[in-house]
Amino acid sequence: MMETLLSRSVRAICLGGMTLGMTAAIAQEASAPLQRVEVTGSRIRQVDLETAQPIQIMNAEQIAKSGLVTVGDVLNNLSSAGAPDFSRSGSLTSNTEAGGQYVSLRNLGANRLLVLVDGKRWTQTVAGYTDLSTIPSAMIERMEILKDGASSIYGSDAIAGVINIILKKNMQGGQLSLYTGQNEKNDGKNKDFSLTYGAGDDKASLMFGLSHTEQGVVWPGTRPRTTFSNGLAHPMAGLGAGPWGRITPVNPANGGSLNQNSPGGWNRYLNHTGDWTGNGVGADSRDPNNYHTYTGAYEDMFNSSQQMHLLSPNKLDTLFVKGEVALPKDMRLKTTAMYSQRESLRQIAGYPLQSTSQANYPVYIDKDSYYNPYGSSVAGAGMGQDLFFQRRTIELPRTTENENRTLHIDATLEGEFMVKDLAWNWSVGYNHNKVSGTAADSGNINLLNLKNALGPSFMNASGVVQCGTAAAPIALGSCTPWNILGGPSASTPDALAYVNATGTKTYGSTTNSATADLAGELFQLPAGAVGLAVGIEHREVKGSDVPDQFSQSGYSTNLSGQPTYGRYTVREAYAELNVPVLKNQPFAELLSFNVATRHSDYSNFGVTNNSKVSFMYKPVKDVLVRGTWAEGFRAPTLDDISGGGSQSFDTFLDPCDTRFGEATRDPAVAQRCASGFGGVVGTPVNYRQLMQAGTPITSAGGTQSLVAFNSGAGNEFLTPETATTKTIGFVYSPSYLPGFTVGLDWYNISIENRITAIGADYVAEECYLRGNANYCSAIGRDSVTGNINRLSRGNANLGEMETEGLDLAISYRLPRTAYGQFGIRNETSYVDKFRTRDGADSDWNNYAGLYHYNRVKSNTSVDWSLGDWSATWGFRYYSGAKDSCWSVNPAIECNMPDYKSYSYGTGANKLGSVTIHDLSVGYRTKWDARILLGINNLFDKAPRTVYESQADAAYIDVDQALDRFFYVRYTQNF
């Protein structure tokens, strides 16, 4: 483990806040013992901390100065980090990862990044994601970010890189930290409390910690630019299904769809006061004269964003214990135990309910319902007709409360010995990780009860509407009729409670691993000792994701899903060899090579072998040249292989739409759409894809599906992704300019046999754009409207992914002056290429420069300290990016109408660059405390309007900054 020397060294190379591959010249005291330490990316302990891999280090002080309270938020601000797979702005996220925090290094996805804590694998969900929010920032000494492939050292998932979070080793005394912060609009209130205490000496030590962290909710209605989902420029375009009754007769001529143009069809909406806010009162819904023809007027629609979280709240409680004891014969026993409980809540608008919300279980307003305006109780006995209905149930916003529990326990016995004056070390360890949780939801509709509530009902002798008929009544306590057409003002608490569907999903995953490692020096060469590390590991992974029985049944508007159960084991062995070739020679101050290989035997798919070769070369003392070639892999997760699948409302653009779809530009596509292709019925003339409100789409971004699609079923025949990583770079630390270091690294990561979920857009485009009839079999269309009402998608080993770019890091600690100590640091990432393709014969689709895939992302900070005072000014820069157009025809918010991309089709809107300034000021008191005041987004840079936003409530760049954020932290040592 890391020794005292490493702590001093890391502080030295982190001056200014950044390391450049841990290659800066490190001034060490002459009397300090040269101790060998293990560095992320290698199992061989070395005296020299220089490595062939680019490693960035963030220490506890940097984390505190960021003004952020969670590890996930801190890491997502790295220049090398892309848009996270899931974020607090994704209120529509329905999987078990909702509420957690994940890092997508190099935009390759959080499941291609390995997260270690003290060099050991951390917990993962059944889908292979590591929730970084479960690691409290108060317990962290530093974080090492290895931007290189490392599967030969650590195994699966280490494709984009490795994040190794080093917890505090020990401490004498205690520390109390209090933090609070909030946005300028008095929301997004964050709190953080931590208490740590430690005692002991070299023979035995013990440390424990408690922490509590909260991140507050942000509602879209608090800011004009987020009040409407499509922004201020198009406030009404994002309105959806309204909360008042919309009806049409059910008969064979129109199939129950809301189509007034079919024979005998009409489409009517209840008269009401109020507008798109849902405020108002509906007219008497039993009177057929109180309805008007529905035309999509704004007052008959609803702004669903106002019921959704823009940023969802969560809180985390953690208990942490770490101990170490010296044993006879130079052995030490080290243990760590951590328990975290995270609670998160997400809310979205009430369900856009309609008669065919679940196609396999349609529910109509019965002709004998007391509340049917065209029913027998109004039109006369035997004259009633069933009604198809639609309306959003805003009285029941849909909520999900996710309680996630993480348990980590590890124990390691290690020792050292000498063989012929050559140092060796060994360790055996056990690592237990467990994630378990429950997700309780409310606000969906119980279709079985809904059918009863909309079924036959009558007014009894007491003046109470009762289910059943006068001749065959249903007991009042067994069924509650619902005046669904009357809207929110007509709904009763009893009726809402009767149709409200509540459910609880349980999930969990457990990883148990046993390891044995041996490392040391084989023999001495003129340039130094040849180092060797070998080890074995046995790991068992099992997990489940189980919806409750009612959710599985499909009798709820909740997205039904089937349970996931999975298990696999893996046996692995690795070897690493470090060979110093030259040292202190002309034009070769240093030349060494490192090779490593890992053999992995999985119980589910078989064997994979992955190797790595790297080098370090110093032509002179001030310059280091380094490079790596590495193989990597990502094994299929339990969810990839055994996922039960679930329903999903997918946002997609129908290629057959005659305004925004590719049918408007490609005659072959238009022909397939109009005449039918691959067994799918043809679309009508001038076909338009409909939104859930029943009106045509208004932008090339498409809309959510009208019915739930089937998605995410596991594929037991999946094989691992394979990757090749190449890096080469240099670090320059001129001796004539002490404190200055610059490093530049080129990287290329190529992934084959990619495991990917097939999206609705992909299925539709394969069918119509590329004429692949196999995909057409997964599609069904409504025979009247032409809209897609059935689509199935899963996952597959599909194609390739490649990214390439440069990482630049500069740091300079200026000489101390009478005005204080100054330090400057910069970390910049440039993405030259980020592309995918679906197969060897397919064209590459390059995403670099599109929104979410910034060409340039840069972080710069200037540090100052004088006596007890300190300050940091930071600049976060995001280069301009191409976003999808609001509309190409006519061109609206579309300054590149002829641009073609795989993501957006034809047309793009180039957004300008963004620079965000952060400022913090600290003061160290005479009573051994520190006060830190800060403002993030100092100049109140407004978020950009983007139509590819991750925020489900509004089309804005929510993952950067909403407005100014003020915070204060007080830290007391005792």
Side-chain angles (χ1 to χ4, degrees):
M1 298 299 294
M2 303 296 180
E3 305 292 343
T4 304
L5 174 60
L6 178 60
S7 299
R8 286 200 301 270
S9 301
V10 168
R11 285 196 294 270
I13 58 181
C14 287
L15 289 173
M18 175 173 295
T19 63
L20 302 176
M22 299 183 72
T23 56
I26 302 171
Q28 300 176 354
E29 299 175 18
S31 59
L34 297 178
Q35 301 181 35
R36 292 172 174 79
V37 296
E38 184 178 311
V39 178
T40 303
S42 175
R43 298 285 192 179
I44 301 173
R45 296 185 181 182
Q46 305 172 60
V47 172
D48 195 339
L49 296 180
E50 294 172 328
T51 70
Q53 295 88 12
I55 298 176
Q56 179 185 348
I57 292 180
M58 297 187 69
N59 58 29
E61 183 177 0
Q62 288 174 259
I63 295 172
K65 286 182 177 180
S66 71
L68 305 171
V69 297
T70 67
V71 175
D73 283 344
V74 172
L75 291 173
N76 275 313
N77 274 312
L78 293 174
S79 67
S80 54
D85 298 72
F86 315 103
S87 77
R88 292 174 60 210
S89 64
S91 53
L92 288 170
T93 301
S94 59
N95 50 28
T96 57
E97 283 75 25
Q101 292 188 319
Y102 312 88
V103 176
S104 177
L105 203 64
R106 306 220 185 275
N107 284 299
L108 291 176
N111 53 357
R112 297 186 180 94
L113 172 70
L114 180 62
V115 177
L116 308 175
V117 176
D118 284 338
K120 302 174 180 64
R121 281 179 176 266
W122 199 243
T123 57
Q124 288 186 326
T125 67
V126 293
Y129 294 96
T130 297
D131 180 6
L132 288 160
S133 74
T134 61
I135 307 168
S137 58
M139 309 301 178
I140 296 174
E141 178 181 298
R142 67 182 181 280
M143 296 187 290
E144 299 179 357
I145 300 98
L146 172 64
K147 304 174 186 179
D148 199 356
S151 286
S152 61
I153 301 297
Y154 299 112
S156 178
D157 307 332
I159 290 178
V162 176
I163 292 177
N164 190 9
I165 298 174
I166 310 298
L167 303 178
K168 294 176 180 177
K169 181 181 177 183
N170 53 49
M171 61 188 304
Q172 297 295 321
Q175 184 180 84
L176 173 68
S177 179
L178 303 171
Y179 167 99
T180 185
Q182 66 179 43
N183 290 317
E184 188 174 20
K185 298 293 185 181
N186 199 33
D187 59 7
K189 296 180 180 179
N190 294 347
K191 299 177 182 178
D192 183 54
F193 160 84
S194 67
L195 174 65
T196 53
Y197 187 83
D201 52 28
D202 290 341
K203 294 182 179 180
S205 63
L206 182 67
M207 181 178 67
F208 79 91
L210 295 169
S211 71
H212 173 80
T213 302
E214 293 185 23
Q215 291 183 291
V217 66
V218 176
W219 293 95
T222 56
R223 295 161 177 79
R225 66 176 54 248
T226 61
T227 297
F228 298 93
S229 61
N230 290 347
L232 292 175
H234 314 280
M236 302 301 166
L239 300 182
W244 316 102
R246 181 178 167 198
I247 52 175
T248 192
V250 178
N251 58 54
N254 64 19
S257 64
L258 290 166
N259 181 17
Q260 63 265 41
N261 297 319
S262 60
W266 38 261
N267 187 346
R268 308 194 71 193
Y269 197 86
L270 182 69
N271 297 337
H272 61 92
T273 62
D275 55 16
W276 45 263
T277 62
N279 298 322
V281 177
D284 180 5
S285 62
R286 295 186 72 237
D287 185 349
N289 295 315
N290 285 336
Y291 292 79
H292 59 272
T293 299
Y294 179 80
T295 60
Y298 294 147
E299 60 267 22
D300 291 342
M301 302 171 77
F302 180 70
N303 179 18
S304 60
S305 289
Q306 63 189 347
Q307 285 194 317
M308 300 173 68
H309 287 157
L310 182 62
L311 292 176
S312 297
N314 60 53
K315 60 182 179 180
L316 175 73
D317 294 292
T318 301
L319 172 65
F320 166 83
V321 180
K322 190 170 187 177
E324 183 175 332
V325 60
L327 299 174
K329 299 187 180 300
D330 293 327
M331 295 189 299
R332 299 189 76 85
L333 177 65
K334 301 179 180 180
T335 62
T336 302
M338 182 185 293
Y339 175 80
S340 297
Q341 181 170 299
R342 171 175 53 79
E343 297 178 6
S344 61
L345 172 70
R346 64 179 181 86
Q347 178 176 306
I348 58 178
Y351 193 85
L353 185 63
Q354 59 172 306
S355 288
T356 54
S357 290
Q358 287 284 12
N360 295 328
Y361 193 79
V363 177
Y364 305 102
I365 302 177
D366 194 274
K367 64 182 184 299
D368 291 323
S369 169
Y370 177 80
Y371 294 115
N372 186 333
Y374 292 89
S376 299
S377 65
V378 176
M383 301 296 291
Q385 56 183 319
D386 295 337
L387 293 182
F388 181 104
F389 73 91
Q390 181 189 69
R391 81 114 152 152
R392 186 180 290 274
T393 56
I394 67 171
E395 311 95 298
L396 293 172
R398 287 168 287 171
T399 62
T400 301
E401 297 181 48
N402 191 347
E403 183 180 288
N404 179 285
R405 299 171 293 274
T406 299
L407 175 65
H408 169 87
I409 300 173
D410 68 65
T412 303
L413 181 65
E414 63 180 39
E416 299 179 351
F417 61 94
M418 302 292 291
V419 177
K420 297 182 179 179
D421 295 328
L422 298 174
W424 286 81
N425 59 83
W426 60 271
S427 67
V428 292
Y430 174 77
N431 191 26
H432 171 77
N433 287 313
K434 182 177 182 180
V435 176
S436 61
T438 56
D441 60 77
S442 176
N444 278 286
I445 304 301
N446 181 322
L447 296 179
L448 297 177
N449 287 358
L450 179 67
K451 193 162 191 175
N452 293 332
L454 303 185
S457 58
F458 68 102
M459 178 80 74
N460 65 21
S462 301
V464 176
V465 180
Q466 185 173 351
C467 293
T469 64
I474 299 174
L476 291 175
S478 301
C479 174
T480 305
W482 187 18
N483 182 9
I484 191 171
L485 300 180
S489 58
S491 295
T492 65
D494 288 343
L496 294 174
Y498 181 63
V499 299
N500 184 22
T502 59
T504 301
K505 175 171 68 172
T506 59
Y507 61 89
S509 63
T510 302
T511 302
N512 292 311
S513 61
T515 60
D517 300 281
L518 176 67
E521 299 174 345
L522 288 175
F523 52 85
Q524 288 285 343
L525 292 176
V530 175
L532 173 70
V534 295
I536 57 175
E537 179 176 359
H538 181 275
R539 189 165 67 250
E540 179 192 45
V541 180
K542 57 184 178 181
S544 62
D545 188 346
V546 185
D548 62 81
Q549 289 295 323
F550 188 69
S551 296
Q552 294 180 42
S553 70
Y555 292 124
S556 165
T557 58
N558 197 5
L559 302 176
S560 66
Q562 298 304 309
T564 296
Y565 295 99
R567 175 187 177 275
Y568 66 82
T569 59
V570 57
R571 296 177 297 175
E572 296 184 292
Y574 75 90
E576 179 188 2
L577 187 69
N578 190 69
V579 182
V581 178
L582 296 172
K583 190 173 184 179
N584 299 327
Q585 300 296 316
F587 303 107
E589 287 292 327
L590 171 69
L591 176 62
S592 67
F593 293 91
N594 184 282
V595 295
T597 188
R598 192 178 190 93
H599 171 81
S600 305
D601 186 356
Y602 281 75
S603 61
N604 50 352
F605 64 80
V607 170
T608 179
N609 296 297
N610 295 271
S611 301
K612 179 197 78 169
V613 178
S614 60
F615 77 92
M616 291 192 300
Y617 172 55
K618 274 189 167 184
V620 294
K621 289 183 178 180
D622 294 351
V623 178
L624 170 70
V625 181
R626 60 192 177 192
T628 302
W629 177 92
E631 295 174 318
F633 76 103
R634 181 173 80 88
T637 66
L638 295 175
D639 192 57
D640 291 333
I641 298 171
S642 306
S646 65
Q647 292 183 315
S648 172
F649 283 90
D650 294 343
T651 297
F652 75 107
L653 173 65
D654 191 334
C656 297
D657 182 81
T658 55
R659 181 175 179 187
F660 300 107
E662 197 63 26
T664 63
R665 296 175 285 274
D666 189 329
V669 174
Q671 175 63 29
R672 295 185 190 110
C673 292
S675 61
F677 180 72
V680 187
V681 299
T683 54
V685 177
N686 298 322
Y687 160 73
R688 294 303 314 281
Q689 181 183 3
L690 299 181
M691 298 189 293
Q692 290 179 344
T695 55
I697 61 173
T698 56
S699 79
T703 188
Q704 275 196 328
S705 56
L706 298 178
V707 300
F709 294 162
N710 295 318
S711 67
N715 181 353
E716 62 180 319
F717 301 105
L718 291 174
T719 57
E721 294 180 343
T722 59
T724 301
T725 300
K726 293 170 282 188
T727 68
I728 191 166
F730 75 89
V731 179
Y732 179 47
S733 303
S735 54
Y736 61 83
L737 189 60
F740 177 81
T741 304
V742 59
L744 182 67
D745 288 280
W746 168 86
Y747 67 88
N748 177 279
I749 304 173
S750 178
I751 300 172
E752 297 181 346
N753 213 37
R754 182 170 57 117
I755 300 173
T756 183
I758 299 172
D761 275 316
Y762 179 84
V763 173
E765 289 168 0
E766 282 293 314
C767 174
Y768 291 102
L769 272 63
R770 289 174 275 281
N772 189 335
N774 291 329
Y775 284 88
C776 297
S777 64
I779 295 175
R781 288 187 180 274
D782 184 281
S783 59
V784 177
T785 67
N787 272 267
I788 294 177
N789 59 12
R790 177 180 61 82
L791 188 145
S792 299
R793 59 184 182 85
N795 52 39
N797 288 112
L798 190 65
E800 304 172 57
M801 175 186 289
E802 183 183 12
T803 185
E804 182 176 275
L806 297 170
D807 288 331
L808 173 67
I810 303 172
S811 67
Y812 182 36
R813 191 186 189 200
L814 282 72
R816 187 178 299 275
T817 69
Y819 302 101
Q821 176 82 60
F822 288 89
I824 302 172
R825 62 182 185 273
N826 171 270
E827 171 206 344
T828 300
S829 293
Y830 168 74
V831 180
D832 180 65
K833 182 191 303 180
F834 188 94
R835 60 182 189 171
T836 66
R837 63 176 176 176
D838 300 326
D841 298 328
S842 303
D843 293 331
W844 285 101
N845 306 295
N846 193 6
Y847 297 88
L850 302 186
Y851 183 70
H852 292 319
Y853 303 91
N854 294 86
R855 289 278 189 183
V856 180
K857 188 176 177 183
S858 182
N859 296 327
T860 303
S861 65
V862 178
D863 293 315
W864 167 83
S865 63
L866 178 63
D868 294 326
W869 289 91
S870 63
T872 298
W873 191 311
F875 312 78
R876 290 178 277 152
Y877 172 81
Y878 305 83
S879 63
K882 300 180 185 71
D883 185 32
S884 63
C885 294
W886 172 258
S887 175
V888 180
N889 185 23
I892 301 174
E893 293 175 84
C894 193
N895 50 32
M896 302 177 68
D898 297 324
Y899 180 84
K900 292 184 180 293
S901 72
Y902 181 79
S903 293
Y904 310 150
T906 300
N909 190 46
K910 182 65 180 292
L911 305 171
S913 62
V914 174
T915 302
I916 298 173
H917 298 256
D918 305 322
L919 175 66
S920 66
V921 177
Y923 176 72
R924 193 170 297 279
T925 70
K926 293 179 171 53
W927 56 88
D928 200 14
R930 190 184 187 210
I931 302 171
L932 184 68
L933 302 173
I935 305 175
N936 287 349
N937 193 16
L938 180 66
F939 298 117
D940 199 17
K941 180 70 175 180
R944 298 176 293 189
T945 297
V946 290
Y947 298 115
E948 294 297 318
S949 171
Q950 284 195 310
D952 291 324
Y955 285 150
I956 65 165
D957 202 353
V958 72
D959 293 319
Q960 291 184 3
L962 290 173
D963 47 37
R964 291 187 185 93
F965 182 85
F966 300 87
Y967 65 91
V968 57
R969 181 181 291 276
Y970 178 84
T971 304
Q972 177 70 62
N973 297 308
F974 58 90

